[in-house]
Amino acid sequence: MLINELSKKTGITTHTIRFYEKSGLIEGKQDESVKSNNYFHYDEITVEKLDFISDAKSVGFTIKEIGQIIDAWYNKKYTKKQKLEILDDKLISLEQKMKEIKEMKKQILQFKDDVVNDRC
Amino acid sequence: MLINELSKKTGITTHTIRFYEKSGLIEGKQDESVKSNNYFHYDEITVEKLDFISDAKSVGFTIKEIGQIIDAWYNKKYTKKQKLEILDDKLISLEQKMKEIKEMKKQILQFKDDVVNDRC
DNA sequence: CACAACATTAGAGTATAGTCTATAGTTGAT
DNA sequence: ATCAACTATAGACTATACTCTAATGTTGTG
């Protein structure tokens, strides 16, 4: 599919898709047999990747971190061991985020309590 | 205390403290009786606020959101009802973040599984 | 009283992650 | 053949959140 269809399927603008492509997160390929244009074609894996990118951004992963995860999954440049190391590293960082959110929840509940009991 | 002591107590640089002050998150006060300088003085509440800011940034709250929470706690400009509304809103957003992180954990565990079983 | 260590303000610079504009060429329906 | 709708590339612009520099003035210890 071309970039417009990809954009419609993922809800990500063509501009942002091109930004992600330049950042190395996804990669379209040009059809060598067509000489009249240099349009990029994208496959279902790219749709999958973009959906993942959206989710990963929500949890606060940076473009760089998302790139590492995508490479650990879709790329052949790492050994099995290296891939698992990267993924485990991200799991640890998710656990950390989880812990911080729980702490923040407690803190805000305390704030609420203070408001209710006129301690602020 | 002056800004340098505040910086040492919180581990936040004086530059960043001034940035937070300009952003309206904290507020020092000048001693009117001293005419030779215009140094700002900070109290323990400011230390508390800066510690909170560090934690709140970790969970992904923006400066603007952090400002709302601080105002809901330390400020007199809101009614009790408004304060609770702001805090409840942040609690909802924390629940949302938590949900997204749990989903991402599942996703990455799936990736790991795929790596282990040579499905990628 | 020198001078290192502190304070202030204004504004410039950086990194991240987009977002938009301009230019130019291509495709497909009428 | 025309024309709207698409495509590519380069580069400018924006927002957020710092981070640093420069210029200038103040304080406190030897």
Side-chain angles (χ1 to χ4, degrees), chain A residues 72-73 79-81 83-85 87-88, chain B residues 108-120:
Chain A
W73 202 97
T79 64
K80 218 166 176 170
K81 192 172 163 244
K83 288 179 173 191
L84 292 177
E85 259 171 38
L87 295 174
D88 279 331
Chain B
I108 291 184
L109 284 170
Q110 183 60 56
F111 283 168
K112 275 191 70 176
D113 201 56
D114 290 345
V115 169
V116 169
N117 297 110
D118 292 305
R119 277 193 301 273
C120 66

Side-chain angles (χ1 to χ4, degrees), chain B residues 2 4 18 39-40:
Chain B
L2 297 181
N4 202 33
R18 290 209 169 96
Y39 291 5
F40 283 88

Side-chain angles (χ1 to χ4, degrees), chain A residues 64-106:
Chain A
K64 198 174 164 184
E65 288 174 311
I66 296 170
Q68 289 176 335
I69 300 171
I70 286 179
D71 284 348
W73 202 97
Y74 299 93
N75 210 299
K76 270 108 191 62
K77 73 180 173 191
Y78 295 123
T79 64
K80 218 166 176 170
K81 192 172 163 244
Q82 284 174 319
K83 288 179 173 191
L84 292 177
E85 259 171 38
I86 292 167
L87 295 174
D88 279 331
D89 181 60
K90 299 312 169 202
L91 281 176
I92 288 168
S93 118
L94 286 174
E95 291 295 345
Q96 180 60 28
K97 283 176 201 286
M98 202 101 109
K99 228 174 91 185
E100 285 164 352
I101 288 172
K102 278 180 190 161
E103 282 306 310
M104 185 51 54
K105 240 182 93 178
K106 267 189 214 164

Side-chain angles (χ1 to χ4, degrees), chain B:
Chain B
M1 77 196 79
L2 297 181
I3 196 161
N4 202 33
E5 194 182 340
L6 183 60
S7 171
K8 269 162 194 159
K9 271 199 182 176
T10 59
I12 299 174
T13 67
T14 58
H15 281 304
T16 301
I17 290 172
R18 290 209 169 96
F19 169 73
Y20 289 153
E21 185 150 20
K22 257 192 275 181
S23 305
L25 299 186
I26 59 160
E27 208 179 339
K29 36 187 176 305
Q30 284 164 323
D31 191 339
E32 298 295 330
S33 65
V34 177
K35 287 140 293 175
S36 62
N37 71 41
N38 49 350
Y39 291 5
F40 283 88
H41 295 261
Y42 302 92
D43 55 16
E44 285 302 324
I45 293 292
T46 305
V47 176
E48 224 178 83
K49 283 182 184 177
L50 286 176
D51 286 345
F52 175 75
I53 291 167
S54 296
D55 292 347
K57 280 184 41 52
S58 295
V59 306
F61 281 135
T62 63
I63 295 286
K64 198 176 165 184
E65 288 174 311
I66 296 170
Q68 289 176 335
I69 299 171
I70 287 179
D71 285 348
W73 202 97
Y74 299 92
N75 210 300
K76 269 105 191 66
K77 73 181 174 192
Y78 295 123
T79 65
K80 218 166 175 169
K81 194 174 163 241
Q82 285 174 317
K83 287 178 174 194
L84 292 177
E85 260 170 35
I86 292 166
L87 296 174
D88 279 332
D89 180 59
K90 299 312 170 203
L91 281 176
I92 288 168
S93 118
L94 286 175
E95 290 295 346
Q96 179 61 29
K97 281 176 203 285
M98 197 75 129
K99 227 174 93 185
E100 286 163 351
I101 288 171
K102 279 179 187 161
E103 282 304 311
M104 185 50 54
K105 237 182 98 178
K106 267 189 214 164
Q107 175 80 77
I108 291 184
L109 284 170
Q110 183 60 56
F111 283 168
K112 275 191 70 176
D113 201 56
D114 290 345
V115 169
V116 169
N117 297 110
D118 292 305
R119 277 193 301 273
C120 66

Side-chain angles (χ1 to χ4, degrees), chain A residues 45-67:
Chain A
I45 293 291
T46 305
V47 177
E48 223 179 84
K49 284 182 184 176
L50 286 175
D51 286 345
F52 174 76
I53 291 166
S54 296
D55 293 346
K57 280 185 40 52
S58 294
V59 306
F61 280 135
T62 63
I63 296 285
K64 198 174 164 184
E65 288 174 311
I66 296 170

